[in-house]
Amino acid sequence: MAGQPWTEMLDGVLAWARALPAGLSNQVAVDVSGRRVRLSHARVEALSRGVLGRVKGLTLRSWDITASVYDLRLDVRGWKLRVETTPQRVELAGGRYTLWLATPGRVELEESPGASSLLMGALRTGAGKAALQALARKLLPPGLAWDGQVLRVEGALPKEGALAARLFESSSLRMTAEHAPEGLWLSAEEWPGLLDLLQAALGPG
């Protein structure tokens, strides 16, 4: 009796995996015991480009993958930035998204490495943090905020595509993320709700 729910859950996971389109089957892995799903880095990039492409005032110029972070080059209101970042938390609810991106590595203004280093050094040590946060609020477009440690991006989900707003109008998904060499692991308390929503987001139609 005690093993029956576990067997049903495993059957559900296997059915979900088999239902994935052929092109996605090698981009998604399921860890049943850990209650988490892994997306390949290529899939994370594709989904992120779809979302970030809608942020006004921001252009993603390049996306490189390392073992521990994503190395991004961005144009933000005319400023050229290089940011080493990795997703920390993701929330999809009410047709909107919120991403919390840790910035444990490089955050640079590419036009002025010297000024960028001075700025980052002051912020990391807490010197003048309030003034720098006020400056970030003025420079960053709506929907973006950065406190020196975490970049928060929020906005409306696109009407169509893998992460369409309609999929999350009456349901929500809150996940924590962990960067690994083989992909990004996503964990959620709502299990198997995580599988149900990911199937809707990644599956056909």
Side-chain angles (χ1 to χ4, degrees):
M1 293 292 291
Q4 186 173 358
W6 180 260
T7 302
E8 292 176 355
M9 179 182 293
L10 183 57
D11 288 344
V13 169
L14 293 175
W16 177 79
R18 292 191 193 103
L20 286 172
L24 291 179
S25 60
N26 63 346
Q27 297 187 35
V28 181
V30 179
D31 175 10
V32 177
S33 60
R35 297 190 176 187
R36 57 184 188 162
V37 173
R38 189 190 73 217
L39 299 181
S40 69
H41 290 305
R43 189 61 185 167
V44 172
E45 178 181 356
L47 292 172
S48 298
R49 284 185 178 275
V51 170
L52 296 178
R54 296 172 52 85
V55 179
K56 293 182 179 180
L58 183 148
T59 301
L60 178 57
R61 290 185 287 125
S62 70
W63 178 297
D64 293 317
I65 301 164
T66 75
S68 58
V69 296
Y70 297 122
D71 189 350
L72 312 183
R73 283 183 162 85
L74 310 164
D75 285 343
V76 181
R77 287 189 168 176
W79 296 77
K80 293 187 182 298
L81 304 178
R82 183 178 182 183
V83 180
E84 291 180 342
T85 185
T86 183
Q88 187 179 67
R89 291 169 53 205
V90 182
E91 178 177 325
L92 307 172
R96 297 181 63 81
Y97 69 88
T98 305
L99 307 176
W100 287 265
L101 304 167
T103 54
R106 178 181 291 137
V107 179
E108 295 179 351
L109 293 171
E110 290 194 298
E111 294 96 332
S112 180
S116 177
S117 297
L118 183 63
L119 199 68
M120 282 303 303
L123 185 52
R124 297 268 189 216
T125 58
K129 188 170 183 178
L132 291 173
Q133 287 177 321
L135 181 61
R137 283 196 296 270
K138 290 182 178 180
L139 293 178
L140 291 176
L144 271 73
W146 184 59
D147 64 3
Q149 303 296 327
V150 177
L151 176 67
R152 191 182 75 247
V153 185
E154 55 185 323
L157 288 167
K159 292 183 179 180
E160 301 297 335
L163 291 177
R166 59 182 168 77
L167 299 175
F168 303 99
E169 287 176 349
S170 58
S171 59
S172 64
L173 181 59
R174 294 172 178 83
M175 301 170 284
T176 56
E178 180 183 354
H179 193 112
E182 66 275 17
L184 191 73
W185 284 103
L186 299 172
S187 305
E189 293 180 4
E190 299 84 359
W191 180 274
L194 172 60
L195 295 180
D196 295 337
L197 286 175
L198 281 176
Q199 183 180 12
L202 301 176

